[in-house]
Amino acid sequence: MFVLLVIQSFIALALIGVILVQKTDSAGLGLGSGGASGNVFTARGAANFLTRLTAILAAIFMVNCLIMSIVSGRQLRQEGSLVQKSALEQPAPTAPVQQPTAPSEGAK
């Protein structure tokens, strides 16, 4: 589970980086006008590449979320819920034991 969480963190950081690198105008969304060139090094090609990379990273992010929820659900079923664990681990309440008091020295 820890490995999936680390992978999720790296995916989230990569997704944030890719989103921040994209242009903020409509060309970054694929809505701009102009001829479509297949070159990645042009502004339009870079926008297409970044858009595709964002979609791929988002899909991987969602799949990893689903995998983590399935794994944690299975672990929870095997181990039991936290409420059940705490109820099982608590000892049964016992009656308080009173210590006998020593007689005072003044009363003889």
Side-chain angles (χ1 to χ4, degrees):
M1 183 68 177
F2 179 73
V3 174
L4 291 174
L5 190 59
V6 170
I7 291 171
Q8 186 77 353
S9 300
F10 285 133
I11 294 170
L13 290 174
L15 193 57
I16 289 169
V18 169
I19 289 172
L20 289 177
V21 168
Q22 291 183 15
K23 295 173 87 177
T24 57
D25 60 355
S26 63
L29 298 173
L31 300 173
S33 61
S37 67
N39 193 359
V40 175
F41 299 108
T42 63
R44 180 76 177 147
N48 285 337
F49 172 73
L50 290 175
T51 303
R52 287 184 186 142
L53 184 60
T54 302
I56 290 169
L57 285 173
I60 293 171
F61 186 87
M62 292 303 296
V63 168
N64 200 21
C65 284
L66 289 172
I67 291 171
M68 285 192 320
S69 66
I70 290 170
V71 168
S72 66
R74 286 184 181 173
Q75 285 179 351
L76 196 65
R77 269 186 255 125
Q78 289 175 355
E79 297 172 1
S81 70
L82 293 176
V83 174
Q84 291 172 346
K85 280 184 180 180
S86 65
L88 292 176
E89 290 175 358
Q90 280 184 335
T94 58
V97 178
Q98 293 183 351
Q99 297 293 330
T101 57
S104 63
E105 292 181 22
K108 287 188 180 180

